[in-house]
Amino acid sequence: GFEYGDTLTAGLHLDTLFLQNIYGCDSTVYLALTVNPIHDTLFMDTICENMDYVMHGFEYGDTLVMGTYYDTLFLQNIYGCDSTVYLALTVNPIHDTLFRDTICENMDYAMHGFVYGDTLTAGLHLDTLFLHNIYGCNSTIYLELTVNPVHEIQFIDTICEGMSYDSLGFAYGDTLMMGDYYDTLFLQNIYGCDSTVYLALTVNPIHDTLFRDTICENMDYAMHGFVYGDTLTAGLHLDTLFLHNIYGCNSTIYLELTVNPVHEIQFIDTICEGMSYDSLGFAYGDTLMMGDYYDTLFLQNIYGCDSTVYLALTVNPIHDTLFMDTICQGMPYDSLGFAYGDTLTAGLHLDTLFLSNIYGCDSTVYLALTVNPIHDTLFRDTICENMDYAMHGFEYGDTLTAGLHLDTLFLSNIYGCDSTVY
């Protein structure tokens, strides 16, 4: 007796009618009407490769490969109402898994299903487990476990003066002086494991180096980083190179290279009669007579370079020498080896000395010394008025008046000696 259209919503609907029953008697009819839903259902499920799937009305064999599958069924739901069923099915892989891991000596390991105590030695350890993978599927798990050493490490390093050092965990500024430095750090080593690091650091000098060297003309030179052909002329050659020194540090190298000549040398020497000669590589007895001698030797010169040596040797005589000299009265004399005070009188003085002659050879020296007089001289002269006068060192114009004029000059006399002229 109840009537409804198709607009009833899902849920419980209650209603009442007042009717006559089959006997014609008044009756109250109650209706509890449940309206079940018609809806879409999405199922998301997961299986492993090689497994069958029979769920939610869907059926698949074990041939599904890894991936996600979407499917749809038109079924009655749990209420017997028409319903659309959607399936999103993920097929997870069954595979082998390789884990590579690293620990330090003396450490426990408990990862990926593997468990080890702290007794593993340094090196590579291989192991295998048959487990479920991260998807819950059967899987073979391989482990490559590297156990790195915990050890003491000694580093030996070198820098140059003026350089900072920032390596291996050690840090120094640029103030380290030349020498050896030792230091210790407690660090992790290159594997990240606890380690004691020792450093022996040598600081090498940066300095200038001066090289002095000598070669002969026409020689090549290739030393200390400098290279020259055989064209260098004799003399001092200066050059500079900016190189690394023997420690590999920046250094300025100076070269003072003396190129000694290869030449012919002529020696001129002198001896006295009766003397032997042993010099410059030449040797003669005492029999050489007065005169000039020429000789040649092929020797090394004073620089150690090949040289031709010529000798021009003069043999000077041993003889007597007469000196004649002149002074003025009252003068001392100190010449030619003779010495006199200022008391010599005017006249000729003779004396003898045994000296070396002008050649440095033994000689008898005679002196004839003339002492010229120092005296007064009186000149008397006469002129006429209005005449000039220029005689005996005196000079007057034409203004002299008639009469006697007296004058005095201090001059040298005819011998060049001081004299008073009246």
Tab-separated table of all heavy atoms in Angstrom, residues 311-367:
chain	number	residue	atom	x	y	z
A	311	LEU	N	158.842	36.346	-24.253
A	311	LEU	CA	159.674	37.073	-23.291
A	311	LEU	C	160.663	37.942	-24.043
A	311	LEU	O	161.405	37.462	-24.906
A	311	LEU	CB	160.442	36.094	-22.393
A	311	LEU	CG	161.458	36.743	-21.445
A	311	LEU	CD1	160.758	37.633	-20.407
A	311	LEU	CD2	162.304	35.679	-20.751
A	312	ALA	N	160.617	39.236	-23.706
A	312	ALA	CA	161.653	40.168	-24.175
A	312	ALA	C	162.464	40.540	-22.933
A	312	ALA	O	161.988	41.306	-22.083
A	312	ALA	CB	161.024	41.388	-24.821
A	313	LEU	N	163.665	39.972	-22.825
A	313	LEU	CA	164.489	40.132	-21.631
A	313	LEU	C	165.655	41.058	-21.931
A	313	LEU	O	166.459	40.791	-22.835
A	313	LEU	CB	165.001	38.765	-21.163
A	313	LEU	CG	165.892	38.779	-19.922
A	313	LEU	CD1	165.097	39.255	-18.700
A	313	LEU	CD2	166.469	37.390	-19.668
A	314	THR	N	165.732	42.120	-21.170
A	314	THR	CA	166.853	43.059	-21.303
A	314	THR	C	167.843	42.807	-20.174
A	314	THR	O	167.456	42.798	-18.998
A	314	THR	CB	166.357	44.507	-21.250
A	314	THR	OG1	165.458	44.722	-22.345
A	314	THR	CG2	167.513	45.483	-21.324
A	315	VAL	N	169.126	42.614	-20.540
A	315	VAL	CA	170.198	42.448	-19.542
A	315	VAL	C	170.939	43.779	-19.463
A	315	VAL	O	171.609	44.203	-20.415
A	315	VAL	CB	171.161	41.311	-19.936
A	315	VAL	CG1	172.249	41.163	-18.882
A	315	VAL	CG2	170.381	40.007	-20.110
A	316	ASN	N	170.755	44.481	-18.334
A	316	ASN	CA	171.337	45.802	-18.167
A	316	ASN	C	172.760	45.706	-17.616
A	316	ASN	O	173.105	44.780	-16.879
A	316	ASN	CB	170.475	46.642	-17.218
A	316	ASN	CG	169.206	47.118	-17.913
A	316	ASN	OD1	169.244	47.513	-19.067
A	316	ASN	ND2	168.080	47.045	-17.200
A	317	PRO	N	173.568	46.705	-17.975
A	317	PRO	CA	174.985	46.671	-17.543
A	317	PRO	C	175.150	47.054	-16.083
A	317	PRO	O	174.302	47.717	-15.488
A	317	PRO	CB	175.619	47.716	-18.449
A	317	PRO	CG	174.519	48.687	-18.736
A	317	PRO	CD	173.263	47.861	-18.835
A	318	ILE	N	176.238	46.616	-15.530
A	318	ILE	CA	176.712	47.088	-14.228
A	318	ILE	C	177.858	48.042	-14.533
A	318	ILE	O	178.866	47.644	-15.145
A	318	ILE	CB	177.210	45.920	-13.375
A	318	ILE	CG1	176.027	44.986	-13.056
A	318	ILE	CG2	177.869	46.415	-12.091
A	318	ILE	CD1	176.445	43.739	-12.320
A	319	HIS	N	177.783	49.373	-14.179
A	319	HIS	CA	178.810	50.342	-14.561
A	319	HIS	C	178.857	51.487	-13.568
A	319	HIS	O	178.053	51.551	-12.632
A	319	HIS	CB	178.559	50.864	-15.967
A	319	HIS	CG	177.152	51.352	-16.200
A	319	HIS	ND1	176.494	52.198	-15.364
A	319	HIS	CD2	176.278	51.083	-17.229
A	319	HIS	CE1	175.280	52.455	-15.819
A	319	HIS	NE2	175.121	51.774	-16.948
A	320	ASP	N	179.854	52.408	-13.779
A	320	ASP	CA	179.999	53.617	-12.972
A	320	ASP	C	179.192	54.741	-13.616
A	320	ASP	O	179.058	54.821	-14.834
A	320	ASP	CB	181.457	54.044	-12.899
A	320	ASP	CG	182.296	53.018	-12.151
A	320	ASP	OD1	181.686	52.204	-11.411
A	320	ASP	OD2	183.518	53.012	-12.315
A	321	THR	N	178.652	55.646	-12.728
A	321	THR	CA	177.826	56.742	-13.217
A	321	THR	C	178.303	58.043	-12.585
A	321	THR	O	178.518	58.106	-11.362
A	321	THR	CB	176.348	56.515	-12.851
A	321	THR	OG1	175.927	55.258	-13.350
A	321	THR	CG2	175.476	57.617	-13.434
A	322	LEU	N	178.497	59.087	-13.416
A	322	LEU	CA	178.886	60.412	-12.944
A	322	LEU	C	177.682	61.333	-13.070
A	322	LEU	O	177.123	61.492	-14.157
A	322	LEU	CB	180.042	60.959	-13.776
A	322	LEU	CG	180.402	62.424	-13.517
A	322	LEU	CD1	180.884	62.644	-12.071
A	322	LEU	CD2	181.464	62.895	-14.511
A	323	PHE	N	177.292	61.915	-11.941
A	323	PHE	CA	176.213	62.902	-11.933
A	323	PHE	C	176.810	64.265	-11.673
A	323	PHE	O	177.652	64.437	-10.771
A	323	PHE	CB	175.180	62.587	-10.840
A	323	PHE	CG	174.347	61.372	-11.157
A	323	PHE	CD1	174.584	60.171	-10.504
A	323	PHE	CD2	173.337	61.441	-12.105
A	323	PHE	CE1	173.838	59.069	-10.794
A	323	PHE	CE2	172.593	60.320	-12.385
A	323	PHE	CZ	172.831	59.117	-11.742
A	324	MET	N	176.373	65.265	-12.450
A	324	MET	CA	176.778	66.649	-12.262
A	324	MET	C	175.512	67.423	-11.922
A	324	MET	O	174.509	67.350	-12.646
A	324	MET	CB	177.445	67.194	-13.535
A	324	MET	CG	178.674	66.380	-13.939
A	324	MET	SD	179.438	66.960	-15.464
A	324	MET	CE	180.156	68.491	-14.877
A	325	ASP	N	175.580	68.164	-10.813
A	325	ASP	CA	174.394	68.867	-10.368
A	325	ASP	C	174.793	70.218	-9.811
A	325	ASP	O	175.982	70.482	-9.561
A	325	ASP	CB	173.665	68.034	-9.309
A	325	ASP	CG	172.159	68.264	-9.365
A	325	ASP	OD1	171.710	69.233	-9.994
A	325	ASP	OD2	171.414	67.437	-8.759
A	326	THR	N	173.801	71.107	-9.631
A	326	THR	CA	174.047	72.477	-9.189
A	326	THR	C	172.998	72.874	-8.174
A	326	THR	O	171.814	72.574	-8.346
A	326	THR	CB	173.974	73.443	-10.387
A	326	THR	OG1	174.924	73.035	-11.374
A	326	THR	CG2	174.281	74.871	-9.945
A	327	ILE	N	173.473	73.587	-7.104
A	327	ILE	CA	172.547	74.191	-6.146
A	327	ILE	C	173.057	75.573	-5.803
A	327	ILE	O	174.139	75.975	-6.237
A	327	ILE	CB	172.410	73.351	-4.864
A	327	ILE	CG1	173.774	73.214	-4.150
A	327	ILE	CG2	171.807	71.993	-5.150
A	327	ILE	CD1	173.665	72.597	-2.755
A	328	CYS	N	172.266	76.308	-5.043
A	328	CYS	CA	172.675	77.622	-4.554
A	328	CYS	C	173.190	77.490	-3.127
A	328	CYS	O	172.793	76.585	-2.388
A	328	CYS	CB	171.494	78.589	-4.586
A	328	CYS	SG	170.884	78.896	-6.258
A	329	GLN	N	174.071	78.427	-2.753
A	329	GLN	CA	174.579	78.471	-1.397
A	329	GLN	C	173.422	78.545	-0.399
A	329	GLN	O	172.414	79.199	-0.645
A	329	GLN	CB	175.485	79.713	-1.226
A	329	GLN	CG	176.903	79.385	-0.896
A	329	GLN	CD	177.745	80.643	-0.687
A	329	GLN	OE1	177.529	81.656	-1.343
A	329	GLN	NE2	178.695	80.587	0.220
A	330	GLY	N	173.584	77.809	0.723
A	330	GLY	CA	172.563	77.871	1.770
A	330	GLY	C	171.423	76.876	1.561
A	330	GLY	O	170.505	76.825	2.377
A	331	MET	N	171.475	76.101	0.464
A	331	MET	CA	170.432	75.094	0.222
A	331	MET	C	170.948	73.720	0.626
A	331	MET	O	172.105	73.396	0.405
A	331	MET	CB	170.043	75.045	-1.274
A	331	MET	CG	169.294	76.241	-1.781
A	331	MET	SD	168.977	76.107	-3.579
A	331	MET	CE	168.003	74.612	-3.645
A	332	PRO	N	170.065	72.872	1.229
A	332	PRO	CA	170.460	71.473	1.444
A	332	PRO	C	170.404	70.744	0.119
A	332	PRO	O	169.808	71.208	-0.850
A	332	PRO	CB	169.405	70.955	2.415
A	332	PRO	CG	168.199	71.773	2.136
A	332	PRO	CD	168.702	73.143	1.724
A	333	TYR	N	171.014	69.537	0.083
A	333	TYR	CA	171.005	68.717	-1.134
A	333	TYR	C	170.648	67.284	-0.741
A	333	TYR	O	171.321	66.690	0.122
A	333	TYR	CB	172.375	68.754	-1.835
A	333	TYR	CG	172.367	68.036	-3.160
A	333	TYR	CD1	171.899	68.662	-4.304
A	333	TYR	CD2	172.821	66.718	-3.266
A	333	TYR	CE1	171.876	67.995	-5.527
A	333	TYR	CE2	172.801	66.050	-4.471
A	333	TYR	CZ	172.334	66.695	-5.612
A	333	TYR	OH	172.298	66.029	-6.807
A	334	ASP	N	169.605	66.769	-1.386
A	334	ASP	CA	169.161	65.398	-1.072
A	334	ASP	C	168.667	64.780	-2.372
A	334	ASP	O	167.478	64.824	-2.690
A	334	ASP	CB	168.051	65.421	-0.021
A	334	ASP	CG	167.661	64.022	0.436
A	334	ASP	OD1	168.312	63.056	0.000
A	334	ASP	OD2	166.687	63.894	1.210
A	335	SER	N	169.628	64.256	-3.148
A	335	SER	CA	169.263	63.701	-4.437
A	335	SER	C	170.307	62.680	-4.843
A	335	SER	O	171.468	62.736	-4.380
A	335	SER	CB	169.170	64.814	-5.485
A	335	SER	OG	168.703	64.298	-6.700
A	336	LEU	N	169.889	61.701	-5.639
A	336	LEU	CA	170.799	60.716	-6.236
A	336	LEU	C	171.508	59.875	-5.187
A	336	LEU	O	172.563	59.278	-5.453
A	336	LEU	CB	171.843	61.411	-7.121
A	336	LEU	CG	171.264	62.375	-8.169
A	336	LEU	CD1	172.392	63.174	-8.824
A	336	LEU	CD2	170.455	61.626	-9.208
A	337	GLY	N	170.903	59.899	-3.976
A	337	GLY	CA	171.498	59.118	-2.897
A	337	GLY	C	172.449	59.921	-2.019
A	337	GLY	O	172.894	59.438	-0.970
A	338	PHE	N	172.791	61.175	-2.438
A	338	PHE	CA	173.665	62.045	-1.651
A	338	PHE	C	172.807	62.939	-0.768
A	338	PHE	O	171.724	63.362	-1.173
A	338	PHE	CB	174.535	62.907	-2.575
A	338	PHE	CG	175.471	62.098	-3.433
A	338	PHE	CD1	175.082	61.659	-4.698
A	338	PHE	CD2	176.748	61.771	-2.979
A	338	PHE	CE1	175.934	60.925	-5.485
A	338	PHE	CE2	177.608	61.037	-3.782
A	338	PHE	CZ	177.206	60.588	-5.033
A	339	ALA	N	173.317	63.303	0.397
A	339	ALA	CA	172.566	64.152	1.316
A	339	ALA	C	173.537	65.112	2.001
A	339	ALA	O	174.533	64.675	2.612
A	339	ALA	CB	171.823	63.296	2.335
A	340	TYR	N	173.245	66.457	1.873
A	340	TYR	CA	174.057	67.483	2.514
A	340	TYR	C	173.131	68.507	3.158
A	340	TYR	O	172.029	68.766	2.649
A	340	TYR	CB	174.954	68.221	1.497
A	340	TYR	CG	175.817	67.295	0.672
A	340	TYR	CD1	175.458	67.000	-0.649
A	340	TYR	CD2	176.974	66.727	1.209
A	340	TYR	CE1	176.230	66.160	-1.415
A	340	TYR	CE2	177.749	65.880	0.439
A	340	TYR	CZ	177.369	65.588	-0.868
A	340	TYR	OH	178.130	64.744	-1.622
A	341	GLY	N	173.625	69.142	4.220
A	341	GLY	CA	172.880	70.231	4.827
A	341	GLY	C	173.078	71.519	4.041
A	341	GLY	O	173.552	71.514	2.908
A	342	ASP	N	172.718	72.672	4.657
A	342	ASP	CA	172.768	73.975	3.967
A	342	ASP	C	174.065	74.710	4.233
A	342	ASP	O	174.156	75.931	4.108
A	342	ASP	CB	171.579	74.834	4.392
A	342	ASP	CG	171.531	75.051	5.900
A	342	ASP	OD1	172.452	74.545	6.590
A	342	ASP	OD2	170.571	75.688	6.377
A	343	THR	N	175.135	73.931	4.585
A	343	THR	CA	176.407	74.585	4.974
A	343	THR	C	177.445	74.523	3.859
A	343	THR	O	178.577	74.955	4.058
A	343	THR	CB	176.964	73.893	6.227
A	343	THR	OG1	177.187	72.504	5.944
A	343	THR	CG2	175.982	74.018	7.387
A	344	LEU	N	177.122	73.968	2.687
A	344	LEU	CA	178.109	73.872	1.614
A	344	LEU	C	178.478	75.275	1.115
A	344	LEU	O	177.599	76.110	0.860
A	344	LEU	CB	177.565	73.034	0.455
A	344	LEU	CG	177.428	71.527	0.710
A	344	LEU	CD1	176.809	70.852	-0.515
A	344	LEU	CD2	178.780	70.898	1.026
A	345	THR	N	179.752	75.480	0.942
A	345	THR	CA	180.224	76.770	0.424
A	345	THR	C	180.154	76.757	-1.091
A	345	THR	O	180.086	75.701	-1.732
A	345	THR	CB	181.671	77.025	0.874
A	345	THR	OG1	182.487	75.935	0.403
A	345	THR	CG2	181.759	77.088	2.395
A	346	ALA	N	180.179	77.934	-1.668
A	346	ALA	CA	180.150	78.034	-3.119
A	346	ALA	C	181.393	77.367	-3.685
A	346	ALA	O	182.485	77.435	-3.105
A	346	ALA	CB	180.080	79.498	-3.534
A	347	GLY	N	181.197	76.637	-4.810
A	347	GLY	CA	182.320	75.972	-5.450
A	347	GLY	C	181.926	74.587	-5.899
A	347	GLY	O	180.764	74.198	-5.860
A	348	LEU	N	182.891	73.762	-6.335
A	348	LEU	CA	182.667	72.411	-6.835
A	348	LEU	C	182.945	71.428	-5.723
A	348	LEU	O	184.027	71.430	-5.116
A	348	LEU	CB	183.573	72.132	-8.038
A	348	LEU	CG	183.440	70.753	-8.653
A	348	LEU	CD1	182.042	70.546	-9.233
A	348	LEU	CD2	184.511	70.550	-9.760
A	349	HIS	N	181.977	70.530	-5.498
A	349	HIS	CA	182.126	69.488	-4.478
A	349	HIS	C	182.056	68.128	-5.157
A	349	HIS	O	181.139	67.858	-5.948
A	349	HIS	CB	181.013	69.604	-3.421
A	349	HIS	CG	181.068	70.886	-2.646
A	349	HIS	ND1	181.703	71.024	-1.432
A	349	HIS	CD2	180.584	72.136	-2.939
A	349	HIS	CE1	181.599	72.250	-0.998
A	349	HIS	NE2	180.924	72.976	-1.897
A	350	LEU	N	182.975	67.226	-4.892
A	350	LEU	CA	183.028	65.888	-5.477
A	350	LEU	C	182.753	64.862	-4.391
A	350	LEU	O	183.269	64.977	-3.272
A	350	LEU	CB	184.407	65.642	-6.113
A	350	LEU	CG	184.835	66.655	-7.195
A	350	LEU	CD1	186.265	66.355	-7.683
A	350	LEU	CD2	183.860	66.623	-8.358
A	351	ASP	N	181.951	63.798	-4.751
A	351	ASP	CA	181.642	62.748	-3.771
A	351	ASP	C	181.354	61.444	-4.518
A	351	ASP	O	181.133	61.439	-5.737
A	351	ASP	CB	180.431	63.139	-2.920
A	351	ASP	CG	180.425	62.433	-1.559
A	351	ASP	OD1	181.223	61.506	-1.363
A	351	ASP	OD2	179.584	62.818	-0.705
A	352	THR	N	181.396	60.324	-3.798
A	352	THR	CA	181.221	58.998	-4.413
A	352	THR	C	180.278	58.149	-3.546
A	352	THR	O	180.380	58.142	-2.318
A	352	THR	CB	182.575	58.265	-4.530
A	352	THR	OG1	183.473	59.098	-5.273
A	352	THR	CG2	182.388	56.927	-5.245
A	353	LEU	N	179.318	57.417	-4.239
A	353	LEU	CA	178.414	56.467	-3.567
A	353	LEU	C	178.432	55.145	-4.319
A	353	LEU	O	178.596	55.105	-5.545
A	353	LEU	CB	176.961	56.972	-3.556
A	353	LEU	CG	176.584	58.018	-2.504
A	353	LEU	CD1	175.121	58.416	-2.704
A	353	LEU	CD2	176.786	57.474	-1.090
A	354	PHE	N	178.255	54.072	-3.576
A	354	PHE	CA	178.112	52.750	-4.191
A	354	PHE	C	176.623	52.366	-4.094
A	354	PHE	O	176.129	51.968	-3.048
A	354	PHE	CB	179.018	51.731	-3.488
A	354	PHE	CG	180.464	52.135	-3.555
A	354	PHE	CD1	181.065	52.817	-2.498
A	354	PHE	CD2	181.223	51.884	-4.697
A	354	PHE	CE1	182.396	53.205	-2.574
A	354	PHE	CE2	182.554	52.272	-4.758
A	354	PHE	CZ	183.144	52.939	-3.695
A	355	LEU	N	175.920	52.533	-5.261
A	355	LEU	CA	174.458	52.382	-5.307
A	355	LEU	C	174.063	51.486	-6.468
A	355	LEU	O	174.906	50.965	-7.195
A	355	LEU	CB	173.784	53.759	-5.502
A	355	LEU	CG	174.109	54.843	-4.465
A	355	LEU	CD1	173.500	56.162	-4.920
A	355	LEU	CD2	173.541	54.430	-3.110
A	356	SER	N	172.698	51.346	-6.620
A	356	SER	CA	172.169	50.745	-7.845
A	356	SER	C	172.061	51.838	-8.892
A	356	SER	O	171.654	52.967	-8.594
A	356	SER	CB	170.789	50.134	-7.595
A	356	SER	OG	170.893	49.023	-6.737
A	357	ASN	N	172.396	51.467	-10.153
A	357	ASN	CA	172.305	52.459	-11.211
A	357	ASN	C	170.853	52.617	-11.670
A	357	ASN	O	169.937	52.075	-11.046
A	357	ASN	CB	173.225	52.101	-12.373
A	357	ASN	CG	172.845	50.779	-13.024
A	357	ASN	OD1	171.808	50.217	-12.735
A	357	ASN	ND2	173.718	50.281	-13.893
A	358	ILE	N	170.658	53.350	-12.739
A	358	ILE	CA	169.304	53.634	-13.203
A	358	ILE	C	168.569	52.360	-13.619
A	358	ILE	O	167.350	52.354	-13.760
A	358	ILE	CB	169.312	54.637	-14.373
A	358	ILE	CG1	170.184	54.104	-15.522
A	358	ILE	CG2	169.797	55.997	-13.899
A	358	ILE	CD1	170.159	54.972	-16.768
A	359	TYR	N	169.272	51.275	-13.825
A	359	TYR	CA	168.646	50.008	-14.192
A	359	TYR	C	168.416	49.122	-12.971
A	359	TYR	O	167.946	47.991	-13.103
A	359	TYR	CB	169.528	49.261	-15.193
A	359	TYR	CG	169.899	50.079	-16.394
A	359	TYR	CD1	171.206	50.527	-16.583
A	359	TYR	CD2	168.939	50.424	-17.347
A	359	TYR	CE1	171.545	51.283	-17.684
A	359	TYR	CE2	169.281	51.186	-18.448
A	359	TYR	CZ	170.584	51.603	-18.609
A	359	TYR	OH	170.924	52.350	-19.696
A	360	GLY	N	168.818	49.651	-11.792
A	360	GLY	CA	168.698	48.844	-10.593
A	360	GLY	C	169.866	47.900	-10.407
A	360	GLY	O	169.808	46.985	-9.566
A	361	CYS	N	170.915	48.074	-11.187
A	361	CYS	CA	172.092	47.215	-11.074
A	361	CYS	C	173.149	47.911	-10.202
A	361	CYS	O	173.207	49.142	-10.125
A	361	CYS	CB	172.674	46.938	-12.459
A	361	CYS	SG	171.494	46.120	-13.566
A	362	ASP	N	173.985	47.073	-9.579
A	362	ASP	CA	175.053	47.635	-8.738
A	362	ASP	C	175.891	48.596	-9.558
A	362	ASP	O	176.277	48.305	-10.704
A	362	ASP	CB	175.962	46.529	-8.191
A	362	ASP	CG	175.210	45.641	-7.191
A	362	ASP	OD1	174.213	46.124	-6.613
A	362	ASP	OD2	175.613	44.476	-7.000
A	363	SER	N	176.253	49.788	-8.944
A	363	SER	CA	176.982	50.812	-9.680
A	363	SER	C	177.692	51.736	-8.699
A	363	SER	O	177.243	51.914	-7.566
A	363	SER	CB	175.999	51.611	-10.542
A	363	SER	OG	176.688	52.587	-11.275
A	364	THR	N	178.788	52.298	-9.176
A	364	THR	CA	179.478	53.334	-8.416
A	364	THR	C	179.018	54.673	-8.961
A	364	THR	O	179.109	54.935	-10.161
A	364	THR	CB	181.000	53.214	-8.562
A	364	THR	OG1	181.397	51.896	-8.150
A	364	THR	CG2	181.720	54.256	-7.710
A	365	VAL	N	178.495	55.537	-8.078
A	365	VAL	CA	177.920	56.812	-8.489
A	365	VAL	C	178.830	57.934	-7.988
A	365	VAL	O	179.135	58.007	-6.787
A	365	VAL	CB	176.504	56.985	-7.905
A	365	VAL	CG1	175.898	58.308	-8.373
A	365	VAL	CG2	175.616	55.824	-8.319
A	366	TYR	N	179.238	58.761	-8.943
A	366	TYR	CA	180.071	59.929	-8.625
A	366	TYR	C	179.201	61.174	-8.766
A	366	TYR	O	178.395	61.288	-9.693
A	366	TYR	CB	181.251	60.028	-9.589
A	366	TYR	CG	182.162	58.810	-9.554
A	366	TYR	CD1	182.013	57.805	-10.500
A	366	TYR	CD2	183.154	58.690	-8.578
A	366	TYR	CE1	182.829	56.699	-10.483
A	366	TYR	CE2	183.974	57.568	-8.561
A	366	TYR	CZ	183.811	56.566	-9.514
A	366	TYR	OH	184.623	55.452	-9.497
A	367	LEU	N	179.448	62.139	-7.849
A	367	LEU	CA	178.706	63.387	-7.896
A	367	LEU	C	179.688	64.543	-7.971
A	367	LEU	O	180.610	64.639	-7.144
A	367	LEU	CB	177.831	63.563	-6.646
A	367	LEU	CG	177.113	64.905	-6.535
A	367	LEU	CD1	176.094	65.089	-7.651
A	367	LEU	CD2	176.419	65.042	-5.174
